[in-house]
Amino acid sequence: MVGLFKHPKRQIRKFLQSGDYDEAISLGKSLESQYQNDSDFHFIMGSVYFILDDFKKALPYFEKSISLNPDDVETLTLKTNTHLALQEKDAAIKCCKKIIQLDPKNSEAQDLLEQLENL
Protein backbone atom coordinates (compact mmCIF):
# COMPACT_ATOMS: atom_id res chain seq x y z
CA MET A 1 0.00 0.00 0.00
CA VAL A 2 2.95 2.33 0.57
CA GLY A 3 3.80 2.20 -3.16
CA LEU A 4 0.32 3.41 -4.00
CA PHE A 5 0.90 6.67 -2.20
CA LYS A 6 4.49 7.01 -3.35
CA HIS A 7 3.68 6.90 -7.07
CA PRO A 8 -0.05 7.46 -7.52
CA LYS A 9 0.15 8.39 -11.22
CA ARG A 10 1.96 5.12 -11.86
CA GLN A 11 -0.83 3.29 -10.03
CA ILE A 12 -3.47 4.98 -12.18
CA ARG A 13 -1.56 3.83 -15.27
CA LYS A 14 -1.41 0.27 -13.91
CA PHE A 15 -5.16 0.29 -13.37
CA LEU A 16 -5.57 1.63 -16.89
CA GLN A 17 -3.34 -1.04 -18.42
CA SER A 18 -5.11 -3.84 -16.57
CA GLY A 19 -8.54 -2.57 -17.57
CA ASP A 20 -9.52 -1.51 -14.05
CA TYR A 21 -11.06 1.74 -15.26
CA ASP A 22 -13.32 2.30 -12.27
CA GLU A 23 -10.33 2.04 -9.96
CA ALA A 24 -8.30 4.39 -12.17
CA ILE A 25 -11.09 6.96 -12.13
CA SER A 26 -11.66 6.62 -8.41
CA LEU A 27 -7.99 7.06 -7.57
CA GLY A 28 -7.63 9.89 -10.07
CA LYS A 29 -10.61 11.77 -8.68
CA SER A 30 -9.20 11.44 -5.16
CA LEU A 31 -5.90 12.96 -6.34
CA GLU A 32 -7.25 15.72 -8.57
CA SER A 33 -6.65 18.63 -6.21
CA GLN A 34 -3.14 17.41 -5.47
CA TYR A 35 -2.22 17.19 -9.17
CA GLN A 36 -4.19 20.14 -10.53
CA ASN A 37 -1.05 21.61 -12.16
CA ASP A 38 0.38 18.35 -13.51
CA SER A 39 -0.10 17.98 -17.26
CA ASP A 40 0.80 14.28 -17.16
CA PHE A 41 -1.93 13.60 -14.58
CA HIS A 42 -4.53 15.33 -16.74
CA PHE A 43 -3.33 13.41 -19.80
CA ILE A 44 -3.71 10.11 -17.93
CA MET A 45 -7.20 10.96 -16.67
CA GLY A 46 -8.29 12.14 -20.11
CA SER A 47 -6.98 8.89 -21.54
CA VAL A 48 -9.06 6.84 -19.12
CA TYR A 49 -12.23 8.59 -20.24
CA PHE A 50 -11.14 8.46 -23.89
CA ILE A 51 -10.75 4.68 -23.68
CA LEU A 52 -14.22 4.49 -22.17
CA ASP A 53 -15.61 6.58 -25.06
CA ASP A 54 -16.70 9.24 -22.57
CA PHE A 55 -15.42 12.07 -24.72
CA LYS A 56 -17.24 14.85 -22.89
CA LYS A 57 -15.39 13.93 -19.69
CA ALA A 58 -12.07 13.36 -21.49
CA LEU A 59 -11.98 16.76 -23.19
CA PRO A 60 -11.56 18.97 -20.08
CA TYR A 61 -8.62 16.84 -18.96
CA PHE A 62 -6.92 17.14 -22.34
CA GLU A 63 -7.61 20.88 -22.39
CA LYS A 64 -6.07 21.30 -18.93
CA SER A 65 -3.07 19.20 -19.94
CA ILE A 66 -2.53 21.35 -23.04
CA SER A 67 -2.88 24.54 -21.01
CA LEU A 68 -0.06 23.30 -18.77
CA ASN A 69 2.07 21.84 -21.57
CA PRO A 70 1.05 23.42 -24.89
CA ASP A 71 3.71 21.63 -26.95
CA ASP A 72 2.61 18.06 -26.19
CA VAL A 73 1.82 16.50 -29.56
CA GLU A 74 0.52 13.27 -28.01
CA THR A 75 -2.07 15.12 -25.95
CA LEU A 76 -3.00 17.28 -28.93
CA THR A 77 -3.54 14.13 -30.98
CA LEU A 78 -5.93 12.65 -28.41
CA LYS A 79 -7.64 16.02 -28.07
CA THR A 80 -8.10 16.09 -31.86
CA ASN A 81 -9.65 12.62 -31.81
CA THR A 82 -11.89 13.65 -28.93
CA HIS A 83 -13.15 16.65 -30.89
CA LEU A 84 -13.80 14.37 -33.87
CA ALA A 85 -15.77 11.96 -31.69
CA LEU A 86 -17.83 14.91 -30.45
CA GLN A 87 -18.29 16.07 -34.07
CA GLU A 88 -16.46 19.34 -33.38
CA LYS A 89 -14.81 19.79 -36.76
CA ASP A 90 -13.47 23.33 -36.26
CA ALA A 91 -11.81 22.44 -32.96
CA ALA A 92 -10.27 19.33 -34.55
CA ILE A 93 -8.90 21.47 -37.39
CA LYS A 94 -7.39 23.88 -34.88
CA CYS A 95 -5.69 20.99 -33.07
CA CYS A 96 -4.32 19.58 -36.34
CA LYS A 97 -2.85 22.95 -37.22
CA LYS A 98 -1.17 23.18 -33.82
CA ILE A 99 0.27 19.67 -34.22
CA ILE A 100 1.66 20.57 -37.64
CA GLN A 101 3.10 23.79 -36.23
CA LEU A 102 4.92 21.76 -33.56
CA ASP A 103 5.77 18.79 -35.80
CA PRO A 104 5.73 19.82 -39.49
CA LYS A 105 6.46 16.24 -40.62
CA ASN A 106 3.44 14.78 -38.82
CA SER A 107 1.77 13.16 -41.81
CA GLU A 108 -1.20 11.88 -39.80
CA ALA A 109 -2.16 15.42 -38.77
CA GLN A 110 -1.54 16.72 -42.29
CA ASP A 111 -3.75 14.05 -43.84
CA LEU A 112 -6.51 14.57 -41.30
CA LEU A 113 -6.38 18.34 -41.74
CA GLU A 114 -6.72 17.94 -45.49
CA GLN A 115 -9.70 15.60 -45.06
CA LEU A 116 -11.41 17.91 -42.60
CA GLU A 117 -10.91 21.01 -44.71
CA ASN A 118 -12.42 19.22 -47.71
CA LEU A 119 -15.61 18.24 -45.91
Side-chain angles (χ1 to χ4, degrees):
M1 198 62 153
V2 172
L4 175 66
F5 296 107
K6 223 173 174 184
H7 303 286
K9 290 189 301 186
R10 189 177 303 161
Q11 186 61 42
I12 296 171
R13 281 192 172 123
K14 285 182 183 180
F15 284 143
L16 187 60
Q17 290 171 345
S18 65
D20 296 324
Y21 305 118
D22 290 338
E23 288 87 353
I25 290 169
S26 179
L27 179 57
K29 287 288 188 183
S30 73
L31 298 169
E32 236 173 298
S33 63
Q34 185 179 348
Y35 287 94
Q36 63 184 350
N37 294 316
D38 185 320
S39 66
D40 188 46
F41 170 81
H42 292 281
F43 173 80
I44 295 166
M45 289 300 293
S47 297
V48 174
Y49 287 112
F50 185 86
I51 289 169
L52 294 172
D53 292 338
D54 193 341
F55 304 110
K56 287 184 180 185
K57 288 186 180 176
L59 188 57
Y61 285 105
F62 292 140
E63 288 174 341
K64 179 68 174 182
S65 181
I66 290 298
S67 75
L68 296 167
N69 185 7
D71 298 337
D72 186 343
V73 172
E74 188 175 3
T75 302
L76 281 165
T77 300
L78 283 178
K79 186 174 183 284
T80 302
N81 290 329
T82 301
H83 284 301
L84 289 172
L86 294 171
Q87 299 180 353
E88 297 172 349
K89 177 184 166 188
D90 292 339
I93 288 172
K94 186 176 176 182
C95 286
C96 284
K97 288 180 179 180
K98 179 67 175 175
I99 292 168
I100 294 167
Q101 177 187 350
L102 295 169
D103 180 10
K105 295 182 181 182
N106 189 313
S107 60
E108 184 179 341
Q110 291 173 350
D111 292 344
L112 181 56
L113 178 61
E114 186 177 315
Q115 288 174 22
L116 291 171
E117 289 181 332
N118 289 326
L119 287 178

